[in-house]
Amino acid sequence: MGPLLMLGAGRMGGALISGWRRAGLLSPADLMIRDPYPGDEAKAAIAEGALHDPDPAAMGRADTVLLAVKPQLWREAAGEVSQALAADAIIVSIAAGVPAAEISKAFGGRAVARIMPTTAAAIGQGTASLYATDPAAAARAQVLFAAVGAVVELENEELMHAATAVSGSAPAYLYAFVEALEAAGAAAGLPADSAQRLARATIAGAAALLADSGEEPAELRKQVTSPGGTTQAALEVLMGEGGLGPLLETAVAAAARRSRELGA
């Protein structure tokens, strides 16, 4: 990878820096960071040689620009750097909801790839939804994000809203579930530390088995559900009327709706 200019280096940007360094894709010397308040991973990269707040001449050397600011700030970020960039610089955006055509226009017509990643990129276990009509932009985004996890390409940009809701936002759904499971364990009488250890280790192990076994989630669920047993009793609540199915459908719809609002 040639020089990469990162516009915004908060939590998601920091996760990507960690993942890229872990994968050997980018060294600090390959990285330029433009953020008045960089996160810890960005600060560590800066301390090891990444360029902080590069001048226009330095930004002009960037082959790739990662747009990683909050969606409400992306136009301002584009306006501040666009004129300094090389004509063939590729823009890779992780700004939720913002259409590729709008980003390209703000960056002077440059090629754009849209990506919705997850913070597990920090440990090489991320997931990213990708949309790009320009082959070079798509290829650049593939190189960047395949190095830190799985990439799913979408043919229709409208699907990015659903992908954001199902993948980009979904780690928070899981963390919320674990929080609730810990609290439920404590309410059932377990010491708080025991409920915490049991809930976290069990969910982590179940997720690892799902990834490693190749089995469908429904099949794994059946394998641990004895007829008339304790698991079935719990699932009758979780999968009953108003349970996880309709609740998640409503939640995903709300996230997708908000993604469209941010783009507008």
Side-chain angles (χ1 to χ4, degrees), residues 131-235:
Y131 172 80
T133 57
D134 182 273
R140 186 71 52 82
Q142 276 279 2
V143 169
L144 285 170
F145 287 87
V148 292
V151 179
V152 176
E153 288 200 51
L154 304 176
E155 295 182 359
N156 183 342
E157 186 172 17
E158 177 65 20
L159 294 176
M160 286 294 289
H161 300 300
T164 297
V166 169
S167 178
S169 299
Y173 310 162
L174 179 62
Y175 303 145
F177 180 87
V178 175
E179 283 184 272
L181 186 58
E182 291 176 4
L190 285 170
D193 60 339
S194 296
Q196 182 185 94
R197 291 182 62 192
L198 286 168
R200 297 182 188 191
T202 301
I203 295 300
L209 181 61
L210 175 63
D212 189 65
S213 69
E215 296 275 10
E216 291 295 318
E219 178 57 32
L220 291 173
R221 171 175 55 79
K222 292 174 183 176
Q223 291 174 11
V224 296
T225 306
S226 300
T230 58
T231 306
Q232 182 176 330
L235 288 177

Side-chain angles (χ1 to χ4, degrees), residues 6 8-20 41-42 66 68 94 119:
M6 179 174 283
R11 192 171 300 277
M12 190 66 243
L16 290 170
I17 291 171
S18 294
W20 289 332
E41 291 298 334
L66 183 77
I94 65 171
T119 51

